[in-house]
Amino acid sequence: MSQVFNLRSLRPVNDWLARFEDTCRSRKIRLTAQRRAVFEALAADPGHPTVEEIYLRLKKNWPSLPLPTVYRIVEDLINLGLIRRVASENGPLRLDANMEPHQHLVCRVCGWMKDWRDPLWAQTPLPSLLSGGFMAEEYDVRVSGLCRSCADRKPKVKKIGSY
Ligand SMILES: [Zn+2]
Ligand SMILES: [Zn+2]
């Protein structure tokens, strides 16, 4: 009853990593071990991590990689079109390794995000040319709500008469 949406993971990390390496090779982008590690750490995290969260995740295997370097690598990967930022109204920049069109479930308390794909949006054609010559590229749809840990932290309201 509580499972309203299909929360199937949409993160085929190994496929993305293979595609990442292919793209670097074909576009002659320098594929350093550090760039690969940052991409992998991002791809493996379904919550669309911040740069700090990527840094913390890397700390175990890359203890000498400083935070400013992680920032620089993330910036490079964004500029190269290999990862993208996801807009969040408040809070820090969040990142996405999923370059396919998709939607997001967004926690309105902590900003956590999860990929979500509604077949409805995949089937809905984009409007061709909008006012002012605006060129539509993709639907950026988000479903706002509470993630599991924020929902658990919310004080439970006791139902009267239910035992
Ligand atoms: Zn949350
Ligand atoms: Zn995403």
Side-chain angles (χ1 to χ4, degrees), residues 55-77:
Y55 165 74
L56 292 175
R57 185 180 268 262
L58 284 168
K59 244 189 141 67
K60 209 175 108 209
N61 293 324
W62 293 83
S64 60
L65 195 64
L67 181 59
T69 306
V70 179
Y71 265 103
R72 190 175 44 73
I73 293 171
V74 162
E75 203 62 47
D76 288 347
L77 295 181

mmCIF file with all atom_site columns, all heavy atoms in Angstrom, residues 55-77:
data_model
loop_
_atom_site.group_PDB
_atom_site.id
_atom_site.type_symbol
_atom_site.label_atom_id
_atom_site.label_alt_id
_atom_site.label_comp_id
_atom_site.label_asym_id
_atom_site.label_entity_id
_atom_site.label_seq_id
_atom_site.pdbx_PDB_ins_code
_atom_site.Cartn_x
_atom_site.Cartn_y
_atom_site.Cartn_z
_atom_site.occupancy
_atom_site.B_iso_or_equiv
_atom_site.pdbx_formal_charge
_atom_site.auth_seq_id
_atom_site.auth_comp_id
_atom_site.auth_asym_id
_atom_site.auth_atom_id
_atom_site.pdbx_PDB_model_num
ATOM 1   N N   . TYR A 1 55 ? 33.435 13.289 -2.362  1.00 0.00 ? 55 TYR A N   1
ATOM 2   C CA  . TYR A 1 55 ? 34.744 13.340 -1.693  1.00 0.00 ? 55 TYR A CA  1
ATOM 3   C C   . TYR A 1 55 ? 34.804 12.342 -0.533  1.00 0.00 ? 55 TYR A C   1
ATOM 4   O O   . TYR A 1 55 ? 35.769 11.579 -0.385  1.00 0.00 ? 55 TYR A O   1
ATOM 5   C CB  . TYR A 1 55 ? 34.986 14.774 -1.214  1.00 0.00 ? 55 TYR A CB  1
ATOM 6   C CG  . TYR A 1 55 ? 36.093 14.955 -0.219  1.00 0.00 ? 55 TYR A CG  1
ATOM 7   C CD1 . TYR A 1 55 ? 37.428 14.881 -0.608  1.00 0.00 ? 55 TYR A CD1 1
ATOM 8   C CD2 . TYR A 1 55 ? 35.809 15.210 1.124   1.00 0.00 ? 55 TYR A CD2 1
ATOM 9   C CE1 . TYR A 1 55 ? 38.443 15.054 0.309   1.00 0.00 ? 55 TYR A CE1 1
ATOM 10  C CE2 . TYR A 1 55 ? 36.810 15.388 2.043   1.00 0.00 ? 55 TYR A CE2 1
ATOM 11  C CZ  . TYR A 1 55 ? 38.134 15.306 1.632   1.00 0.00 ? 55 TYR A CZ  1
ATOM 12  O OH  . TYR A 1 55 ? 39.121 15.472 2.545   1.00 0.00 ? 55 TYR A OH  1
ATOM 13  N N   . LEU A 1 56 ? 33.765 12.321 0.291   1.00 0.00 ? 56 LEU A N   1
ATOM 14  C CA  . LEU A 1 56 ? 33.736 11.409 1.446   1.00 0.00 ? 56 LEU A CA  1
ATOM 15  C C   . LEU A 1 56 ? 33.696 9.953  0.990   1.00 0.00 ? 56 LEU A C   1
ATOM 16  O O   . LEU A 1 56 ? 34.319 9.078  1.594   1.00 0.00 ? 56 LEU A O   1
ATOM 17  C CB  . LEU A 1 56 ? 32.542 11.721 2.343   1.00 0.00 ? 56 LEU A CB  1
ATOM 18  C CG  . LEU A 1 56 ? 32.623 13.064 3.085   1.00 0.00 ? 56 LEU A CG  1
ATOM 19  C CD1 . LEU A 1 56 ? 31.336 13.338 3.856   1.00 0.00 ? 56 LEU A CD1 1
ATOM 20  C CD2 . LEU A 1 56 ? 33.823 13.089 4.031   1.00 0.00 ? 56 LEU A CD2 1
ATOM 21  N N   . ARG A 1 57 ? 32.962 9.682  -0.071  1.00 0.00 ? 57 ARG A N   1
ATOM 22  C CA  . ARG A 1 57 ? 32.868 8.325  -0.595  1.00 0.00 ? 57 ARG A CA  1
ATOM 23  C C   . ARG A 1 57 ? 34.224 7.853  -1.139  1.00 0.00 ? 57 ARG A C   1
ATOM 24  O O   . ARG A 1 57 ? 34.577 6.683  -1.037  1.00 0.00 ? 57 ARG A O   1
ATOM 25  C CB  . ARG A 1 57 ? 31.803 8.314  -1.705  1.00 0.00 ? 57 ARG A CB  1
ATOM 26  C CG  . ARG A 1 57 ? 31.482 6.958  -2.275  1.00 0.00 ? 57 ARG A CG  1
ATOM 27  C CD  . ARG A 1 57 ? 30.423 7.094  -3.348  1.00 0.00 ? 57 ARG A CD  1
ATOM 28  N NE  . ARG A 1 57 ? 29.089 6.927  -2.791  1.00 0.00 ? 57 ARG A NE  1
ATOM 29  C CZ  . ARG A 1 57 ? 28.410 5.771  -2.851  1.00 0.00 ? 57 ARG A CZ  1
ATOM 30  N NH1 . ARG A 1 57 ? 28.938 4.717  -3.431  1.00 0.00 ? 57 ARG A NH1 1
ATOM 31  N NH2 . ARG A 1 57 ? 27.214 5.674  -2.342  1.00 0.00 ? 57 ARG A NH2 1
ATOM 32  N N   . LEU A 1 58 ? 34.989 8.808  -1.701  1.00 0.00 ? 58 LEU A N   1
ATOM 33  C CA  . LEU A 1 58 ? 36.286 8.471  -2.282  1.00 0.00 ? 58 LEU A CA  1
ATOM 34  C C   . LEU A 1 58 ? 37.378 8.289  -1.228  1.00 0.00 ? 58 LEU A C   1
ATOM 35  O O   . LEU A 1 58 ? 38.410 7.684  -1.496  1.00 0.00 ? 58 LEU A O   1
ATOM 36  C CB  . LEU A 1 58 ? 36.729 9.574  -3.257  1.00 0.00 ? 58 LEU A CB  1
ATOM 37  C CG  . LEU A 1 58 ? 36.048 9.613  -4.621  1.00 0.00 ? 58 LEU A CG  1
ATOM 38  C CD1 . LEU A 1 58 ? 36.382 10.911 -5.321  1.00 0.00 ? 58 LEU A CD1 1
ATOM 39  C CD2 . LEU A 1 58 ? 36.489 8.433  -5.464  1.00 0.00 ? 58 LEU A CD2 1
ATOM 40  N N   . LYS A 1 59 ? 37.139 8.844  -0.051  1.00 0.00 ? 59 LYS A N   1
ATOM 41  C CA  . LYS A 1 59 ? 38.189 8.917  0.962   1.00 0.00 ? 59 LYS A CA  1
ATOM 42  C C   . LYS A 1 59 ? 38.812 7.567  1.295   1.00 0.00 ? 59 LYS A C   1
ATOM 43  O O   . LYS A 1 59 ? 40.001 7.475  1.584   1.00 0.00 ? 59 LYS A O   1
ATOM 44  C CB  . LYS A 1 59 ? 37.632 9.554  2.235   1.00 0.00 ? 59 LYS A CB  1
ATOM 45  C CG  . LYS A 1 59 ? 38.316 10.867 2.527   1.00 0.00 ? 59 LYS A CG  1
ATOM 46  C CD  . LYS A 1 59 ? 37.966 11.433 3.862   1.00 0.00 ? 59 LYS A CD  1
ATOM 47  C CE  . LYS A 1 59 ? 39.176 12.037 4.466   1.00 0.00 ? 59 LYS A CE  1
ATOM 48  N NZ  . LYS A 1 59 ? 39.797 13.152 3.942   1.00 0.00 ? 59 LYS A NZ  1
ATOM 49  N N   . LYS A 1 60 ? 37.986 6.512  1.246   1.00 0.00 ? 60 LYS A N   1
ATOM 50  C CA  . LYS A 1 60 ? 38.478 5.190  1.614   1.00 0.00 ? 60 LYS A CA  1
ATOM 51  C C   . LYS A 1 60 ? 39.576 4.721  0.656   1.00 0.00 ? 60 LYS A C   1
ATOM 52  O O   . LYS A 1 60 ? 40.637 4.271  1.081   1.00 0.00 ? 60 LYS A O   1
ATOM 53  C CB  . LYS A 1 60 ? 37.309 4.193  1.607   1.00 0.00 ? 60 LYS A CB  1
ATOM 54  C CG  . LYS A 1 60 ? 37.491 3.052  2.584   1.00 0.00 ? 60 LYS A CG  1
ATOM 55  C CD  . LYS A 1 60 ? 36.259 2.172  2.627   1.00 0.00 ? 60 LYS A CD  1
ATOM 56  C CE  . LYS A 1 60 ? 36.560 0.854  1.950   1.00 0.00 ? 60 LYS A CE  1
ATOM 57  N NZ  . LYS A 1 60 ? 35.422 0.207  1.324   1.00 0.00 ? 60 LYS A NZ  1
ATOM 58  N N   . ASN A 1 61 ? 39.327 4.839  -0.637  1.00 0.00 ? 61 ASN A N   1
ATOM 59  C CA  . ASN A 1 61 ? 40.296 4.354  -1.628  1.00 0.00 ? 61 ASN A CA  1
ATOM 60  C C   . ASN A 1 61 ? 41.261 5.434  -2.111  1.00 0.00 ? 61 ASN A C   1
ATOM 61  O O   . ASN A 1 61 ? 42.291 5.129  -2.693  1.00 0.00 ? 61 ASN A O   1
ATOM 62  C CB  . ASN A 1 61 ? 39.561 3.760  -2.827  1.00 0.00 ? 61 ASN A CB  1
ATOM 63  C CG  . ASN A 1 61 ? 38.804 2.492  -2.470  1.00 0.00 ? 61 ASN A CG  1
ATOM 64  O OD1 . ASN A 1 61 ? 39.266 1.703  -1.653  1.00 0.00 ? 61 ASN A OD1 1
ATOM 65  N ND2 . ASN A 1 61 ? 37.634 2.322  -3.037  1.00 0.00 ? 61 ASN A ND2 1
ATOM 66  N N   . TRP A 1 62 ? 40.884 6.699  -1.896  1.00 0.00 ? 62 TRP A N   1
ATOM 67  C CA  . TRP A 1 62 ? 41.723 7.811  -2.347  1.00 0.00 ? 62 TRP A CA  1
ATOM 68  C C   . TRP A 1 62 ? 41.970 8.766  -1.178  1.00 0.00 ? 62 TRP A C   1
ATOM 69  O O   . TRP A 1 62 ? 41.535 9.924  -1.229  1.00 0.00 ? 62 TRP A O   1
ATOM 70  C CB  . TRP A 1 62 ? 41.055 8.560  -3.505  1.00 0.00 ? 62 TRP A CB  1
ATOM 71  C CG  . TRP A 1 62 ? 40.935 7.769  -4.763  1.00 0.00 ? 62 TRP A CG  1
ATOM 72  C CD1 . TRP A 1 62 ? 39.955 6.872  -5.076  1.00 0.00 ? 62 TRP A CD1 1
ATOM 73  C CD2 . TRP A 1 62 ? 41.827 7.789  -5.876  1.00 0.00 ? 62 TRP A CD2 1
ATOM 74  N NE1 . TRP A 1 62 ? 40.176 6.331  -6.315  1.00 0.00 ? 62 TRP A NE1 1
ATOM 75  C CE2 . TRP A 1 62 ? 41.321 6.880  -6.830  1.00 0.00 ? 62 TRP A CE2 1
ATOM 76  C CE3 . TRP A 1 62 ? 43.013 8.491  -6.158  1.00 0.00 ? 62 TRP A CE3 1
ATOM 77  C CZ2 . TRP A 1 62 ? 41.955 6.648  -8.045  1.00 0.00 ? 62 TRP A CZ2 1
ATOM 78  C CZ3 . TRP A 1 62 ? 43.638 8.265  -7.382  1.00 0.00 ? 62 TRP A CZ3 1
ATOM 79  C CH2 . TRP A 1 62 ? 43.107 7.351  -8.303  1.00 0.00 ? 62 TRP A CH2 1
ATOM 80  N N   . PRO A 1 63 ? 42.655 8.309  -0.122  1.00 0.00 ? 63 PRO A N   1
ATOM 81  C CA  . PRO A 1 63 ? 42.781 9.154  1.079   1.00 0.00 ? 63 PRO A CA  1
ATOM 82  C C   . PRO A 1 63 ? 43.562 10.444 0.838   1.00 0.00 ? 63 PRO A C   1
ATOM 83  O O   . PRO A 1 63 ? 43.417 11.394 1.606   1.00 0.00 ? 63 PRO A O   1
ATOM 84  C CB  . PRO A 1 63 ? 43.512 8.239  2.072   1.00 0.00 ? 63 PRO A CB  1
ATOM 85  C CG  . PRO A 1 63 ? 44.119 7.165  1.265   1.00 0.00 ? 63 PRO A CG  1
ATOM 86  C CD  . PRO A 1 63 ? 43.299 7.018  0.021   1.00 0.00 ? 63 PRO A CD  1
ATOM 87  N N   . SER A 1 64 ? 44.351 10.489 -0.224  1.00 0.00 ? 64 SER A N   1
ATOM 88  C CA  . SER A 1 64 ? 45.162 11.699 -0.426  1.00 0.00 ? 64 SER A CA  1
ATOM 89  C C   . SER A 1 64 ? 44.567 12.640 -1.468  1.00 0.00 ? 64 SER A C   1
ATOM 90  O O   . SER A 1 64 ? 45.201 13.621 -1.859  1.00 0.00 ? 64 SER A O   1
ATOM 91  C CB  . SER A 1 64 ? 46.589 11.308 -0.847  1.00 0.00 ? 64 SER A CB  1
ATOM 92  O OG  . SER A 1 64 ? 46.526 10.567 -2.045  1.00 0.00 ? 64 SER A OG  1
ATOM 93  N N   . LEU A 1 65 ? 43.342 12.358 -1.906  1.00 0.00 ? 65 LEU A N   1
ATOM 94  C CA  . LEU A 1 65 ? 42.701 13.226 -2.903  1.00 0.00 ? 65 LEU A CA  1
ATOM 95  C C   . LEU A 1 65 ? 42.001 14.384 -2.177  1.00 0.00 ? 65 LEU A C   1
ATOM 96  O O   . LEU A 1 65 ? 41.013 14.167 -1.492  1.00 0.00 ? 65 LEU A O   1
ATOM 97  C CB  . LEU A 1 65 ? 41.692 12.409 -3.714  1.00 0.00 ? 65 LEU A CB  1
ATOM 98  C CG  . LEU A 1 65 ? 41.161 13.013 -5.019  1.00 0.00 ? 65 LEU A CG  1
ATOM 99  C CD1 . LEU A 1 65 ? 42.268 13.195 -6.035  1.00 0.00 ? 65 LEU A CD1 1
ATOM 100 C CD2 . LEU A 1 65 ? 40.061 12.133 -5.591  1.00 0.00 ? 65 LEU A CD2 1
ATOM 101 N N   . PRO A 1 66 ? 42.512 15.618 -2.328  1.00 0.00 ? 66 PRO A N   1
ATOM 102 C CA  . PRO A 1 66 ? 41.911 16.713 -1.569  1.00 0.00 ? 66 PRO A CA  1
ATOM 103 C C   . PRO A 1 66 ? 40.593 17.196 -2.171  1.00 0.00 ? 66 PRO A C   1
ATOM 104 O O   . PRO A 1 66 ? 40.366 17.034 -3.385  1.00 0.00 ? 66 PRO A O   1
ATOM 105 C CB  . PRO A 1 66 ? 42.980 17.815 -1.625  1.00 0.00 ? 66 PRO A CB  1
ATOM 106 C CG  . PRO A 1 66 ? 43.808 17.503 -2.807  1.00 0.00 ? 66 PRO A CG  1
ATOM 107 C CD  . PRO A 1 66 ? 43.657 16.039 -3.120  1.00 0.00 ? 66 PRO A CD  1
ATOM 108 N N   . LEU A 1 67 ? 39.775 17.801 -1.325  1.00 0.00 ? 67 LEU A N   1
ATOM 109 C CA  . LEU A 1 67 ? 38.451 18.277 -1.764  1.00 0.00 ? 67 LEU A CA  1
ATOM 110 C C   . LEU A 1 67 ? 38.538 19.238 -2.956  1.00 0.00 ? 67 LEU A C   1
ATOM 111 O O   . LEU A 1 67 ? 37.756 19.102 -3.901  1.00 0.00 ? 67 LEU A O   1
ATOM 112 C CB  . LEU A 1 67 ? 37.716 18.906 -0.576  1.00 0.00 ? 67 LEU A CB  1
ATOM 113 C CG  . LEU A 1 67 ? 36.301 19.425 -0.844  1.00 0.00 ? 67 LEU A CG  1
ATOM 114 C CD1 . LEU A 1 67 ? 35.375 18.323 -1.337  1.00 0.00 ? 67 LEU A CD1 1
ATOM 115 C CD2 . LEU A 1 67 ? 35.710 20.060 0.427   1.00 0.00 ? 67 LEU A CD2 1
ATOM 116 N N   . PRO A 1 68 ? 39.460 20.218 -2.963  1.00 0.00 ? 68 PRO A N   1
ATOM 117 C CA  . PRO A 1 68 ? 39.523 21.130 -4.122  1.00 0.00 ? 68 PRO A CA  1
ATOM 118 C C   . PRO A 1 68 ? 39.774 20.399 -5.439  1.00 0.00 ? 68 PRO A C   1
ATOM 119 O O   . PRO A 1 68 ? 39.271 20.817 -6.490  1.00 0.00 ? 68 PRO A O   1
ATOM 120 C CB  . PRO A 1 68 ? 40.695 22.065 -3.785  1.00 0.00 ? 68 PRO A CB  1
ATOM 121 C CG  . PRO A 1 68 ? 40.825 22.005 -2.316  1.00 0.00 ? 68 PRO A CG  1
ATOM 122 C CD  . PRO A 1 68 ? 40.422 20.614 -1.925  1.00 0.00 ? 68 PRO A CD  1
ATOM 123 N N   . THR A 1 69 ? 40.528 19.312 -5.382  1.00 0.00 ? 69 THR A N   1
ATOM 124 C CA  . THR A 1 69 ? 40.788 18.530 -6.594  1.00 0.00 ? 69 THR A CA  1
ATOM 125 C C   . THR A 1 69 ? 39.512 17.846 -7.066  1.00 0.00 ? 69 THR A C   1
ATOM 126 O O   . THR A 1 69 ? 39.219 17.797 -8.266  1.00 0.00 ? 69 THR A O   1
ATOM 127 C CB  . THR A 1 69 ? 41.886 17.476 -6.338  1.00 0.00 ? 69 THR A CB  1
ATOM 128 O OG1 . THR A 1 69 ? 43.038 18.143 -5.809  1.00 0.00 ? 69 THR A OG1 1
ATOM 129 C CG2 . THR A 1 69 ? 42.274 16.754 -7.612  1.00 0.00 ? 69 THR A CG2 1
ATOM 130 N N   . VAL A 1 70 ? 38.738 17.323 -6.098  1.00 0.00 ? 70 VAL A N   1
ATOM 131 C CA  . VAL A 1 70 ? 37.464 16.693 -6.464  1.00 0.00 ? 70 VAL A CA  1
ATOM 132 C C   . VAL A 1 70 ? 36.550 17.734 -7.114  1.00 0.00 ? 70 VAL A C   1
ATOM 133 O O   . VAL A 1 70 ? 35.899 17.464 -8.126  1.00 0.00 ? 70 VAL A O   1
ATOM 134 C CB  . VAL A 1 70 ? 36.786 16.046 -5.231  1.00 0.00 ? 70 VAL A CB  1
ATOM 135 C CG1 . VAL A 1 70 ? 35.453 15.424 -5.611  1.00 0.00 ? 70 VAL A CG1 1
ATOM 136 C CG2 . VAL A 1 70 ? 37.699 14.983 -4.622  1.00 0.00 ? 70 VAL A CG2 1
ATOM 137 N N   . TYR A 1 71 ? 36.528 18.946 -6.547  1.00 0.00 ? 71 TYR A N   1
ATOM 138 C CA  . TYR A 1 71 ? 35.744 20.038 -7.145  1.00 0.00 ? 71 TYR A CA  1
ATOM 139 C C   . TYR A 1 71 ? 36.178 20.301 -8.584  1.00 0.00 ? 71 TYR A C   1
ATOM 140 O O   . TYR A 1 71 ? 35.353 20.461 -9.485  1.00 0.00 ? 71 TYR A O   1
ATOM 141 C CB  . TYR A 1 71 ? 35.906 21.333 -6.332  1.00 0.00 ? 71 TYR A CB  1
ATOM 142 C CG  . TYR A 1 71 ? 34.804 21.533 -5.317  1.00 0.00 ? 71 TYR A CG  1
ATOM 143 C CD1 . TYR A 1 71 ? 35.011 21.279 -3.967  1.00 0.00 ? 71 TYR A CD1 1
ATOM 144 C CD2 . TYR A 1 71 ? 33.537 21.984 -5.719  1.00 0.00 ? 71 TYR A CD2 1
ATOM 145 C CE1 . TYR A 1 71 ? 33.995 21.462 -3.034  1.00 0.00 ? 71 TYR A CE1 1
ATOM 146 C CE2 . TYR A 1 71 ? 32.520 22.175 -4.798  1.00 0.00 ? 71 TYR A CE2 1
ATOM 147 C CZ  . TYR A 1 71 ? 32.751 21.923 -3.455  1.00 0.00 ? 71 TYR A CZ  1
ATOM 148 O OH  . TYR A 1 71 ? 31.747 22.092 -2.549  1.00 0.00 ? 71 TYR A OH  1
ATOM 149 N N   . ARG A 1 72 ? 37.497 20.340 -8.799  1.00 0.00 ? 72 ARG A N   1
ATOM 150 C CA  . ARG A 1 72 ? 38.014 20.662 -10.125 1.00 0.00 ? 72 ARG A CA  1
ATOM 151 C C   . ARG A 1 72 ? 37.654 19.558 -11.119 1.00 0.00 ? 72 ARG A C   1
ATOM 152 O O   . ARG A 1 72 ? 37.250 19.833 -12.250 1.00 0.00 ? 72 ARG A O   1
ATOM 153 C CB  . ARG A 1 72 ? 39.536 20.852 -10.059 1.00 0.00 ? 72 ARG A CB  1
ATOM 154 C CG  . ARG A 1 72 ? 40.132 21.430 -11.333 1.00 0.00 ? 72 ARG A CG  1
ATOM 155 C CD  . ARG A 1 72 ? 41.619 21.732 -11.195 1.00 0.00 ? 72 ARG A CD  1
ATOM 156 N NE  . ARG A 1 72 ? 42.378 20.668 -10.520 1.00 0.00 ? 72 ARG A NE  1
ATOM 157 C CZ  . ARG A 1 72 ? 42.683 19.488 -11.066 1.00 0.00 ? 72 ARG A CZ  1
ATOM 158 N NH1 . ARG A 1 72 ? 42.290 19.207 -12.292 1.00 0.00 ? 72 ARG A NH1 1
ATOM 159 N NH2 . ARG A 1 72 ? 43.372 18.595 -10.388 1.00 0.00 ? 72 ARG A NH2 1
ATOM 160 N N   . ILE A 1 73 ? 37.779 18.304 -10.689 1.00 0.00 ? 73 ILE A N   1
ATOM 161 C CA  . ILE A 1 73 ? 37.452 17.183 -11.578 1.00 0.00 ? 73 ILE A CA  1
ATOM 162 C C   . ILE A 1 73 ? 35.965 17.207 -11.939 1.00 0.00 ? 73 ILE A C   1
ATOM 163 O O   . ILE A 1 73 ? 35.582 17.025 -13.096 1.00 0.00 ? 73 ILE A O   1
ATOM 164 C CB  . ILE A 1 73 ? 37.840 15.837 -10.921 1.00 0.00 ? 73 ILE A CB  1
ATOM 165 C CG1 . ILE A 1 73 ? 39.368 15.741 -10.794 1.00 0.00 ? 73 ILE A CG1 1
ATOM 166 C CG2 . ILE A 1 73 ? 37.298 14.665 -11.727 1.00 0.00 ? 73 ILE A CG2 1
ATOM 167 C CD1 . ILE A 1 73 ? 39.856 14.556 -9.962  1.00 0.00 ? 73 ILE A CD1 1
ATOM 168 N N   . VAL A 1 74 ? 35.116 17.465 -10.914 1.00 0.00 ? 74 VAL A N   1
ATOM 169 C CA  . VAL A 1 74 ? 33.670 17.535 -11.158 1.00 0.00 ? 74 VAL A CA  1
ATOM 170 C C   . VAL A 1 74 ? 33.375 18.635 -12.180 1.00 0.00 ? 74 VAL A C   1
ATOM 171 O O   . VAL A 1 74 ? 32.607 18.436 -13.130 1.00 0.00 ? 74 VAL A O   1
ATOM 172 C CB  . VAL A 1 74 ? 32.916 17.785 -9.826  1.00 0.00 ? 74 VAL A CB  1
ATOM 173 C CG1 . VAL A 1 74 ? 31.500 18.288 -10.074 1.00 0.00 ? 74 VAL A CG1 1
ATOM 174 C CG2 . VAL A 1 74 ? 32.878 16.501 -8.999  1.00 0.00 ? 74 VAL A CG2 1
ATOM 175 N N   . GLU A 1 75 ? 34.000 19.807 -12.006 1.00 0.00 ? 75 GLU A N   1
ATOM 176 C CA  . GLU A 1 75 ? 33.820 20.936 -12.926 1.00 0.00 ? 75 GLU A CA  1
ATOM 177 C C   . GLU A 1 75 ? 34.230 20.532 -14.353 1.00 0.00 ? 75 GLU A C   1
ATOM 178 O O   . GLU A 1 75 ? 33.514 20.799 -15.313 1.00 0.00 ? 75 GLU A O   1
ATOM 179 C CB  . GLU A 1 75 ? 34.684 22.111 -12.429 1.00 0.00 ? 75 GLU A CB  1
ATOM 180 C CG  . GLU A 1 75 ? 34.235 23.472 -12.891 1.00 0.00 ? 75 GLU A CG  1
ATOM 181 C CD  . GLU A 1 75 ? 32.845 23.836 -12.395 1.00 0.00 ? 75 GLU A CD  1
ATOM 182 O OE1 . GLU A 1 75 ? 32.570 23.639 -11.184 1.00 0.00 ? 75 GLU A OE1 1
ATOM 183 O OE2 . GLU A 1 75 ? 32.040 24.302 -13.213 1.00 0.00 ? 75 GLU A OE2 1
ATOM 184 N N   . ASP A 1 76 ? 35.381 19.866 -14.468 1.00 0.00 ? 76 ASP A N   1
ATOM 185 C CA  . ASP A 1 76 ? 35.868 19.404 -15.779 1.00 0.00 ? 76 ASP A CA  1
ATOM 186 C C   . ASP A 1 76 ? 34.861 18.448 -16.420 1.00 0.00 ? 76 ASP A C   1
ATOM 187 O O   . ASP A 1 76 ? 34.547 18.576 -17.604 1.00 0.00 ? 76 ASP A O   1
ATOM 188 C CB  . ASP A 1 76 ? 37.216 18.672 -15.633 1.00 0.00 ? 76 ASP A CB  1
ATOM 189 C CG  . ASP A 1 76 ? 38.353 19.635 -15.314 1.00 0.00 ? 76 ASP A CG  1
ATOM 190 O OD1 . ASP A 1 76 ? 38.144 20.864 -15.445 1.00 0.00 ? 76 ASP A OD1 1
ATOM 191 O OD2 . ASP A 1 76 ? 39.440 19.162 -14.922 1.00 0.00 ? 76 ASP A OD2 1
ATOM 192 N N   . LEU A 1 77 ? 34.373 17.485 -15.632 1.00 0.00 ? 77 LEU A N   1
ATOM 193 C CA  . LEU A 1 77 ? 33.454 16.479 -16.183 1.00 0.00 ? 77 LEU A CA  1
ATOM 194 C C   . LEU A 1 77 ? 32.140 17.119 -16.617 1.00 0.00 ? 77 LEU A C   1
ATOM 195 O O   . LEU A 1 77 ? 31.536 16.704 -17.612 1.00 0.00 ? 77 LEU A O   1
ATOM 196 C CB  . LEU A 1 77 ? 33.207 15.358 -15.161 1.00 0.00 ? 77 LEU A CB  1
ATOM 197 C CG  . LEU A 1 77 ? 34.420 14.491 -14.784 1.00 0.00 ? 77 LEU A CG  1
ATOM 198 C CD1 . LEU A 1 77 ? 34.030 13.418 -13.780 1.00 0.00 ? 77 LEU A CD1 1
ATOM 199 C CD2 . LEU A 1 77 ? 35.057 13.850 -16.016 1.00 0.00 ? 77 LEU A CD2 1
#
